[in-house]
């Protein structure tokens, strides 16, 4: 259960530097239950850094993040319990089977009946017949399906997705969209970052543009994709 | 607290399961250990140096370098596919990651030591039966000390370009106290000296363990957090 009502995710004044490089500059964002924020930006805009900060993997240089009203800090494990992350890395161990990979993740999250949850997740990912294989035997797209299943094992309140459609075929991308839409209907929130806005457009309740670490535009999704894309491109090249 | 310990055992179990499946580090550590024993055994002039004079040093050098193999792989497996990020994202204390890695590394090194010891007995014609209990205790105390420090350094160096070079450079100075203690105890055990002669060294090894496991638990979170 959430400890507080109000926005599910609040980030205030979020900044992150790597030496002289400022990867993120004072980002403010707020996300309510059931919302999906799609963040669009070119390579190097700071999208992955934003997700790593929101996930609590990386400390911000300035600013703070609250999920479900609770401050996300590396020293507070419980603050990360409601967060799931689909990274552009698979997070899978090549020397473990797919089932062992998911079982391990389920145990870290204290998922009840971890074995059956992990098996079911692999079935739903269409990999029920390959549970004892190593991730290295899978194509990039199939690995991505396992990564998504892994991130959803503990049914997170907030799902963070970094270019989640990479490698997925049409059917798998459709399944992911359906899953995200279903989760949104259940009050789960998501932040999806991409440089391919078109493929995530229909999922968004709000869209934002990140350029050189700055939050240059954020608004509810309305109107046609083409019109927004044209405005976003104009901002990026301004 | 219970969740933290469960998580630590899950991480140790994962590491051991992965190693049993691949056996890459285990096999290379065992081959390496056997090679060291062979070299020490055949480089000795039997007329000038009795096996018992060289045996304790040879044993502990073998154990120390085999441990280095384990420590080198401890966090390199987390670097592939950025799995360390997944550990940092999980709702577990950073200390659980350290404890899990420490337990996994210890199990791995103890397994290598258990297999290496009979080989050592053959190569050095050592009668280890009578001193087996003392050797086991010394092994637990000394190995825990340098593996505790090595686990932190393994996490510290894994993001560097020359991790496999940096780890021994950082770790070797910290291995010296437990290795000296272990060799001193082993010399006396092989010479059938009374227990009172080794108690002091064993205490020193135990103190080293308590100090460095505690320090490692304290510093580990700042080592892995970006």
């Amino acid at each position: 259960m959430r400890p507080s009502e109000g926005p599910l995710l609040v980030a205030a004044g979020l900044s992150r530097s790597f030496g002289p490089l400022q990867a993120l500059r004072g980002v403010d964002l707020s996300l309510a239950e059931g919302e999906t924020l799609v963040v669009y930006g070119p390579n190097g805009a700071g999208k992955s850094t934003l997700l790593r900060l929101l996930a609590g993997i990386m400390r911000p240089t300035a600013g703070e993040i609250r999920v479900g009203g609770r401050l996300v800090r590396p020293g507070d494990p419980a603050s990360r319990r409601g967060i799931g992350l689909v990274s552009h890395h698979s997070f899978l161990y090549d020397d473990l089977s797919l089932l062992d990979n998911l079982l391990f993740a389920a145990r870290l999250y204290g998922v009840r009946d971890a074995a059956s949850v992990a098996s079911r997740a692999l079935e739903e990912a269409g990999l029920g017949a390959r549970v004892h294989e190593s991730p290295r035997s899978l194509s990039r797209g199939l690995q991505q399906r396992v990564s998504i299943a892994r991130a959803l094992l503990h049914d997170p309140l907030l799902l963070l997705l970094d270019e989640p459609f990479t490698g997925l075929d049409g059917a798998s991308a459709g399944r992911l969209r359906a899953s995200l839409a279903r989760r949104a209907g259940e009050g789960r929130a998501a932040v999806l970052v991409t440089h391919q806005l078109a493929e995530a457009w229909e999922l968004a309740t709000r869209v934002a543009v990140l350029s050189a670490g700055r939050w240059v535009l954020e608004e509810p999704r309305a109107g046609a994709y083409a019109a927004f894309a044209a405005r976003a491109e104009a901002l990026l090249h301004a | 607290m219970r969740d933290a310990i469960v998580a630590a055992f899950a991480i140790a179990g994962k590491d051991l399961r992965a190693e049993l499946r691949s056996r890459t580090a285990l096999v290379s550590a065992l081959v390496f250990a056997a090679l060291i024993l062979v070299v020490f055994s055949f480089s000795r002039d039997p007329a000038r140096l009795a096996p018992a004079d060289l045996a304790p040093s040879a044993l502990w050098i073998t154990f120390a370098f085999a441990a280095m193999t384990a420590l080198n792989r401890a966090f390199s497996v987390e670097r592939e596919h950025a799995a360390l990020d997944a550990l940092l994202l999980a709702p577990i204390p950073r200390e659980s990651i350290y404890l899990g890695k420490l337990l996994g590394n210890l199990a791995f090194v103890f397994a290598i030591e258990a297999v290496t010891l009979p080989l050592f007995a053959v190569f050095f014609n050592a009668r280890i039966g009578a001193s087996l209990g003392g050797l086991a205790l010394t092994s637990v105390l000394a190995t825990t000390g340098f593996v505790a420090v090595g686990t932190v350094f393994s996490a510290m160096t894994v993001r560097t370009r020359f991790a496999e070079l940096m780890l021994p450079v950082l770790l070797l100075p910290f291995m010296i106290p437990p290795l000296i203690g272990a060799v001193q105890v082993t010399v006396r055990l092989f010479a059938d000296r009374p227990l009172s002669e080794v108690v002091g060294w064993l205490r020193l090894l135990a103190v080293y363990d308590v100090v460095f496991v505690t320090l490692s638990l304290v510093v580990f979170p700042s080592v892995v957090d970006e």
Side-chain angles (χ1 to χ4, degrees), chain A residues 52 59 80 91 93 95, chain B residues 21 78 81 85 92 226:
Chain A
R52 289 170 64 80
R59 288 176 193 271
R80 299 187 293 274
F91 295 163
Y93 298 96
D95 290 327
Chain B
R21 199 172 150 120
E78 306 298 342
H81 309 303
D85 280 353
I92 58 171
E226 286 184 55

Side-chain angles (χ1 to χ4, degrees), chain B residues 4-76:
Chain B
I5 291 169
V6 168
F9 276 100
I11 291 167
K14 179 270 293 177
D15 279 356
L16 294 175
R17 190 179 284 265
E19 183 51 39
L20 285 174
R21 199 172 150 120
S22 72
R23 294 194 186 96
T24 46
L26 196 64
V27 170
S28 59
L30 284 173
V31 169
F32 189 50
L35 184 68
I36 296 174
L37 288 174
V38 169
V39 170
F40 266 102
S41 176
F42 286 95
S43 63
R44 180 179 60 86
D45 179 353
R48 300 178 64 178
L49 191 61
D53 293 334
L54 187 61
S57 318
L59 181 67
W60 282 100
I61 287 172
T62 308
F63 284 177
F65 281 94
M68 205 72 83
T69 311
L71 293 167
N72 260 326
R73 59 167 271 293
F75 279 90
S76 64

Side-chain angles (χ1 to χ4, degrees), chain A:
Chain A
M1 289 296 287
R2 292 181 54 195
S4 74
E5 296 307 316
L8 184 63
L9 166 68
V10 178
L14 213 51
S15 298
R16 173 69 200 206
S17 302
F18 299 97
L21 175 72
Q22 246 199 315
L24 217 58
R25 303 160 192 245
V27 169
D28 296 303
L29 70 93
S30 169
L31 207 59
E33 288 180 357
E35 283 197 302
T36 299
L37 171 69
V38 172
V39 181
Y40 170 65
N43 293 334
K47 304 188 298 295
S48 296
T49 301
L50 172 68
L51 285 198
R52 289 170 64 80
L53 290 170
L54 294 178
I57 293 173
M58 188 183 273
R59 288 176 193 271
T61 311
E64 64 172 40
I65 301 145
R66 287 179 186 274
V67 173
R70 188 166 186 150
L71 193 63
V72 176
R73 291 182 297 121
D76 179 11
S79 68
R80 299 187 293 274
R81 186 167 292 281
I83 303 173
L85 172 64
V86 178
S87 165
H88 52 87
H89 297 289
S90 72
F91 295 163
L92 301 174
Y93 298 96
D94 283 340
D95 290 327
L96 291 181
S97 68
L98 301 180
L99 184 59
D100 283 340
N101 265 290
L102 264 60
L103 261 175
F104 173 59
R107 284 181 183 136
L108 290 184
Y109 282 87
V111 173
R112 283 173 193 269
D113 200 6
S116 63
V117 170
S119 297
R120 196 166 56 245
L122 285 170
E123 286 284 346
E124 286 170 6
L127 290 158
R130 304 182 71 173
V131 295
H132 298 298
E133 290 185 23
S134 155
R136 71 165 69 90
S137 70
L138 303 183
S139 68
R140 174 75 181 89
L142 292 181
Q143 284 189 17
Q144 183 72 346
R145 283 201 228 165
V146 182
S147 298
I148 293 164
R150 186 193 188 285
L152 292 172
L153 275 177
H154 61 293
D155 191 19
L157 290 171
L158 172 67
L159 184 63
L160 308 169
L161 304 108
D162 193 349
E163 309 283 2
F165 297 105
T166 305
L168 293 183
D169 58 28
S172 302
R175 267 205 297 267
L176 174 59
R177 284 192 190 92
S179 167
L180 292 174
R182 189 179 63 245
R183 283 175 48 80
E186 292 166 355
R188 308 295 192 237
V191 178
L192 188 158
V193 303
T194 183
H195 65 279
Q196 302 281 340
L197 184 57
E199 59 194 4
W201 178 255
E202 292 299 327
L203 283 170
T205 52
R206 287 165 50 214
V207 280
V209 177
L210 190 63
S211 174
R214 290 185 199 282
W215 208 239
V216 293
L217 174 66
E218 186 192 343
E219 61 185 36
R221 178 175 69 89
Y225 161 71
F228 180 86
R231 281 171 54 218
E233 287 303 323
L235 278 168
L236 291 175
H237 296 103

